[in-house]
Amino acid sequence: ETGVTQTPRHLVMGMTNKKSLKCEQHLGHNAMYWYKQSAKKPLELMFVYSLEERVENNSVPSRFSPECPNSSHLFLHLHTLQPEDSALYLCASSQDVNSPLHFGNGTRLTVT
Amino acid sequence: AQSVTQLDSQVPVFEEAPVELRCNYSSSVSVYLFWYVQYPNQGLQLLLKYLSGSTLVKGINGFEAEFNKSQTSFHLRKPSVHISDTAEYFCAASPSGGYNKLIFGAGTRLAVHP
């Protein structure tokens, strides 16, 4: 139990599908993050939310749409993805943006 | 611009042997430095961090790292590895501790053989 739970663990979707990734943290943290982990590449920070406000958006394509309804939940809505979007998507949380990250186990996404 | 370079993509080693995973960073400002470990099918777990003070940092599972400002390095070491240490290891840096600015290296795959 990492304190940060991601669902689903695996997801296969076609390029025309719409799906959502879910992240829930049970640590009472105020900041949540989405990272993309592709093979042989450094982790890429996608979005950061602090106190439910988006504070970081690293030039992510609009086919990725985050949502943070409260400090415990974070979603990543996906639509019209491309095969190169296949990766492990990691959610993390921290007490605030100046505190260490706690990662979930990730969602392995495959776009066909 | 800040960057983190892990010099080895893979490091094979025999059980009970010592190991060093290399990390170099570039930054024009003071940085905080971290090592994370990722076991198969899991997320990242913090091994250790350097924020200030002693340049030798001890972490979990018997790992330690030394901050060398003149060489801009933060190499990870363990004197005797176990099979269970087989994992991907990531070096990361952030300026002034802002985790929303955390930059990761590409990772080093440590493979421990019996």
Side-chain angles (χ1 to χ4, degrees):
Chain A
E1 174 59 52
T2 66
V4 179
T5 303
Q6 291 186 243
T7 54
R9 290 298 307 274
H10 302 272
L11 178 63
V12 179
M13 59 185 290
M15 290 189 286
T16 58
N17 292 159
K18 290 184 179 181
K19 297 286 185 182
S20 296
L21 309 185
K22 179 182 177 182
C23 177
E24 182 175 2
Q25 58 96 0
H26 316 278
L27 302 169
H29 289 167
N30 293 311
M32 297 187 77
Y33 310 72
W34 278 118
Y35 280 88
K36 177 182 179 183
Q37 185 178 24
S38 304
K40 307 300 182 186
K41 293 177 65 176
L43 272 74
E44 303 170 54
L45 179 63
M46 301 175 72
F47 303 103
V48 181
Y49 277 81
S50 178
L51 296 173
E52 300 150 43
E53 296 289 327
R54 190 187 311 181
V55 297
E56 193 82 24
N57 179 347
N58 281 349
S59 303
V60 178
S62 59
R63 57 185 183 270
F64 294 92
S65 175
E67 178 189 2
C68 188
N70 55 63
S71 60
S72 298
H73 293 86
L74 184 66
F75 295 90
L76 188 63
H77 304 299
L78 316 170
H79 65 97
T80 59
L81 294 191
Q82 303 299 312
E84 60 264 30
D85 296 322
S86 298
L88 181 68
Y89 289 84
L90 291 166
C91 174
S93 71
S94 62
Q95 183 60 47
D96 52 51
V97 293
N98 293 313
S99 299
L101 302 178
H102 294 255
F103 284 86
N105 287 335
T107 294
R108 174 69 63 184
L109 174 67
T110 302
V111 181
T112 61
Chain B
Q2 184 174 293
S3 67
V4 175
T5 302
Q6 291 184 244
L7 299 165
D8 306 295
S9 60
Q10 295 186 64
V11 173
V13 64
F14 287 108
E15 193 173 19
E16 297 183 7
V19 71
E20 178 179 83
L21 306 184
R22 297 180 293 169
C23 173
N24 286 89
Y25 69 93
S26 65
S27 176
S28 59
V29 299
S30 297
V31 295
Y32 292 179
L33 296 162
F34 310 84
W35 276 99
Y36 284 85
V37 60
Q38 185 178 33
Y39 298 104
N41 301 313
Q42 294 187 24
L44 277 69
Q45 179 182 358
L46 182 65
L47 266 181
L48 48 80
K49 61 182 183 286
Y50 171 78
L51 305 181
S52 64
S54 173
T55 57
L56 184 63
V57 181
K58 294 189 182 297
I60 62 173
N61 301 341
F63 284 93
E64 63 181 30
E66 185 161 18
F67 170 59
N68 188 318
K69 187 174 182 179
S70 62
Q71 297 185 6
T72 61
S73 67
F74 191 56
H75 300 334
L76 181 71
R77 301 185 183 100
K78 186 169 182 178
S80 176
V81 294
H82 303 287
I83 295 287
S84 60
D85 292 323
T86 294
E88 191 91 18
Y89 291 80
F90 294 92
C91 183
S94 72
S96 305
Y99 285 80
N100 55 327
K101 304 293 184 186
L102 197 61
I103 303 297
F104 284 87
T108 297
R109 173 77 178 162
L110 176 64
V112 181
H113 301 285

